[in-house]
Amino acid sequence: MSSVSAAFGRTTFSTFSYSNHFQLKSISDQNIFDSSTPCHINQQTRHRSNRSRRGLYDGKDVRTGNKVSFSEKKTKRKFKPNVQKKRLFSEILDEMIRFNVTTSALRSIDKAGGLDNYLLKSKHVTDEGTGGEAKKRILDKMEELRKGELKNAEQKQK
């Protein structure tokens, strides 16, 4: 290890390199994952509560914390998401769908440009729950519309 003295008083700058000193192994060298197991088994899945499966919760869930009194005595409490029952309009299905929706999900729906865009693009909507069911219905309807457009285009060409 060598150090170079600078002309700025007593400050000493070191030219020692930690990256050369420590031999760090890459992930491929450590063989963490066995190649015989499929990749999807090694991936972690996020826990979704049963409550959030019942509606559009936008990643919100029940949190715990403390209620703090004037004497600063702490007692456990729950912070529940702000859930509202709403009927939201799907343009592709051309119908109103009833959901339990958090207010943050309502803001995200507006930001996405409607219920259909939110359901198709949001990372919080999975295949399970009411959001997943509506997403599947929308995808099926979109596939029907594509097939109908293809048939119409074929008929026009003939």
Side-chain angles (χ1 to χ4, degrees):
M1 181 164 101
S2 64
S3 60
V4 178
S5 178
F8 303 112
R10 295 182 180 174
T11 308
T12 305
F13 297 102
S14 175
T15 57
F16 178 72
S17 175
Y18 283 97
S19 61
N20 294 337
H21 182 67
F22 296 107
Q23 295 292 326
L24 298 176
K25 291 185 177 180
S26 64
I27 291 175
S28 61
D29 295 339
Q30 294 175 359
N31 194 12
I32 294 172
F33 302 116
D34 186 13
S35 60
S36 63
T37 58
C39 292
H40 67 277
I41 293 175
N42 294 329
Q43 293 176 352
Q44 291 181 340
T45 56
R46 265 186 92 86
H47 169 74
R48 290 195 63 207
S49 67
N50 290 331
R51 182 183 178 110
S52 65
R53 288 187 183 112
R54 293 185 205 131
L56 302 177
Y57 277 57
D58 202 37
K60 304 292 182 196
D61 206 352
V62 178
R63 305 281 310 251
T64 58
N66 291 317
K67 182 174 87 171
V68 182
S69 64
F70 178 76
S71 63
E72 297 185 14
K73 179 180 178 184
K74 294 176 177 68
T75 54
K76 282 294 194 184
R77 62 159 290 183
K78 290 182 181 179
F79 292 94
K80 296 179 181 178
N82 187 1
V83 180
Q84 308 295 324
K85 289 184 180 178
K86 292 286 181 184
R87 291 173 49 223
L88 301 171
F89 184 73
S90 170
E91 295 174 359
I92 294 174
L93 298 176
D94 196 33
E95 67 180 65
M96 300 290 278
I97 306 173
R98 188 178 300 251
F99 285 110
N100 289 336
V101 188
T102 59
T103 52
S104 66
L106 286 173
R107 294 181 70 220
S108 297
I109 289 168
D110 286 340
K111 189 174 181 180
L115 177 66
D116 301 330
N117 291 336
Y118 174 78
L119 290 174
L120 296 175
K121 295 179 182 176
S122 176
K123 66 179 181 179
H124 300 294
V125 178
T126 59
D127 295 338
E128 56 192 28
T130 57
E133 292 170 6
K135 181 179 179 177
K136 189 173 182 179
R137 286 179 53 206
I138 288 171
L139 289 172
D140 291 342
K141 182 73 171 192
M142 288 173 66
E143 190 62 34
E144 280 181 31
L145 294 174
R146 281 192 199 121
K147 287 180 182 178
E149 289 174 1
L150 289 174
K151 287 180 183 177
N152 291 338
E154 290 175 2
Q155 290 176 354
K156 287 181 181 178
Q157 288 178 354
K158 293 180 181 180

